[in-house]
Amino acid sequence: MLAQVTVVVPTIGRPSLDVLLDALAAAPGPRPAEIILVDDRPTGEPLRPERPGLPPVRVVRTGGGGPARARNLGWRTARTEWIAFLDDDVVTDRDWYSRLEQDLTGLAPDVAGSQGRVRVPLPEHRRPTDWERGTAGLATSSWITADLAYRRAALAAVGGFDERFPRAFREDSDLALRVMDTGSRLVRGERWITHPVRPADRWISVRVQAGNADDVLMRRLHGPDWRERADAALGRRPQHTAVTAAALAAVGLAAAGKPRAAALAATAWLAGTAEFAWRRIAPGPRTGTEVATMALTSTLIPPLATWHWLRGVVQHVGVARWRGLPDLVLFDRDGTLVHDYPYNGDPAWVRPVDGAKESLDRLRARGVRIGVVSNQSGVARGLITREQVDACMARLEELLGPFDTVQVCPHGPEDGCACRKPAPGMVKAACAELDVDPSRVVVVGDIGADVEAAAAAGARGILVPTPVTRREEVSAAPHVVATLPAAVDEVLGGHW
């Protein structure tokens, strides 16, 4: 079973990653197919994950796209049936591999994911701090990706994690709701991880208020009942809004020359702030440092929470459902990736269009598979040989990098085959070869036959016209862009 599992660990290179890798290396039992470490740092020295006992390890880099993008690159890079996500600041139990195998073996087809169980150790010699108590909430949270295994097909069906969630907050709940909206179930397994409380400075509770904007996005995407469905408590946002309103009222009334009313509003603000601070101080260790931190941050949190919530209200107006990236982008060759020299059989004349290499590399960097679908009727006409076609394709890969699939139709228009575009045969063959749903595929070409083949296969088509593209083909195409780089921009922007 574990041969069909890839472990994906997004990381920003924290020392805790070494602790996790040591635990995975020392654990007994069967091994998964591989571990993919997604380095989400913009820069930095290469990671050094090698150690005896680990399964094969690959490191891929996002360049700093955030946790949602990092996880997406991880699962898109993997090729196994199951993707087991772990955070880089957890420690797996010694029997984690065997427990994971037991959790995933024999699951019903409608089960799309299995969540592990989390323990958060708190200090035994004193009461926990506010930050420690907040971290302890992970032990009872639903669908957190600290340890959560998903079927790869389920991730592909919904486009993976929504990268509009810029931080490690709510992106996992959003994914879970979208997966369950397809009719699939998520279950809890019996494997365990430990999530230590990582060190944090005194302002951490202030910075995390930015997540209020993500709550607005959740409501816009999933409706007013999203908290109930995601098992997410409302918290104190209504109280924070009231306290902030009292502070603004006090300032406004004072400026308007109404000191008595301003004093009443100020008293309400002070009472609300004091109540909030005490709720955070009372259960804690009540050291001088902790009390001072709670007093300072309890003054700042209500207005910041309200500000970020209002920012989200403005930012997420009219937000659409996340589609993610396609699983596969297929390109026509002549006229799209390379300049069109009719019936070319000479590799020396394979000349990429401007921006082709950079555009394909951008897709590869995001984990999107790419391929070629090319009509080569010159073979049927006796103008070139199949060996010459293959030589030109090999030269294409030398210049533009590797392709995940290459489909060639050697037939002529009169042969009546099912593969020659605008027939869908090559698109369907590419999907079958890579086990990709055609609805998650984009076909980019320069003539109407390319987009017609896409439509016939159930894929999306993008037309990049050239001087040989007929006007009626441009008018009929559902999606037209001016250049190949612009087509890739559309794909990476989710506009496909």
Side-chain angles (χ1 to χ4, degrees), residues 213-224 226 309-321:
D214 299 338
D215 283 349
V216 177
L217 180 55
M218 287 291 290
R219 182 182 177 90
R220 293 278 167 81
L221 292 171
H222 300 288
W226 75 267
W309 179 77
L310 291 172
R311 178 173 60 83
V313 169
V314 174
Q315 179 181 355
H316 300 306
V317 171
V319 67
R321 193 86 162 178

Side-chain angles (χ1 to χ4, degrees), residues 165-180:
F165 290 90
R167 70 204 102 249
F169 185 69
R170 301 302 190 209
E171 86 291 353
D172 42 14
S173 296
D174 166 75
L175 174 64
L177 292 184
R178 286 187 287 118
V179 169
M180 289 188 287

Side-chain angles (χ1 to χ4, degrees), residues 75-322:
W75 73 260
R76 288 186 179 282
T77 302
R79 295 291 176 260
T80 53
E81 178 186 357
W82 285 91
I83 312 296
F85 294 102
L86 288 173
D87 283 350
D88 72 348
D89 56 352
V90 306
V91 183
T92 53
D93 274 15
R94 185 168 173 78
D95 62 353
W96 188 81
Y97 287 131
S98 57
R99 291 282 188 178
L100 175 64
E101 185 171 48
Q102 292 171 14
D103 286 344
L104 301 185
T105 299
L107 287 178
D110 68 330
V111 175
S114 167
Q115 179 178 330
R117 298 180 183 270
V118 182
R119 70 173 68 87
V120 180
L122 295 176
E124 298 179 355
H125 61 284
R126 60 165 173 81
R127 295 179 178 182
T129 64
D130 180 69
W131 172 243
E132 291 166 342
R133 293 194 305 274
T135 303
L138 295 173
T140 56
S141 296
S142 296
W143 321 131
I144 59 171
T145 44
D147 181 357
L148 183 55
Y150 274 107
R151 293 188 192 270
R152 192 183 188 283
L155 295 168
V158 299
F161 293 85
D162 190 334
E163 296 175 17
R164 293 170 297 186
F165 290 90
R167 70 204 102 249
F169 185 69
R170 301 302 190 209
E171 86 291 353
D172 42 14
S173 296
D174 166 75
L175 174 64
L177 292 184
R178 286 187 287 118
V179 169
M180 289 188 287
D181 283 344
T182 68
S184 297
R185 292 187 294 130
L186 302 179
V187 298
R188 292 186 183 272
E190 296 301 325
R191 64 194 183 278
W192 282 87
I193 60 169
T194 298
H195 194 303
V197 180
R198 56 185 171 89
D201 61 62
R202 70 189 311 175
W203 305 112
I204 182 66
S205 61
V206 172
R207 291 196 298 274
V208 300
Q209 299 309 312
N212 282 277
D214 299 338
D215 283 349
V216 177
L217 180 55
M218 287 291 290
R219 182 182 177 90
R220 293 278 167 81
L221 292 171
H222 300 288
D225 65 340
W226 75 267
R227 289 184 180 277
E228 179 181 348
R229 297 172 58 211
D231 192 23
L234 175 60
R236 290 184 61 93
R237 190 180 59 75
Q239 293 94 321
H240 291 336
T241 303
V243 169
T244 303
L248 293 174
V251 173
L253 290 167
K258 299 180 179 181
R260 183 173 298 178
L264 288 173
T267 300
W269 167 79
L270 182 61
T273 302
E275 182 271 339
F276 177 42
W278 177 247
R279 281 185 175 270
R280 302 171 71 205
I281 292 169
R286 303 189 197 178
T287 62
T289 300
E290 176 77 356
V291 171
T293 298
M294 294 301 98
L296 286 169
T297 57
S298 296
T299 303
L300 296 173
I301 286 174
L304 283 172
T306 303
W307 159 251
H308 286 298
W309 179 77
L310 291 172
R311 178 173 60 83
V313 169
V314 174
Q315 179 181 355
H316 300 306
V317 171
V319 67
R321 193 86 162 178
W322 175 254

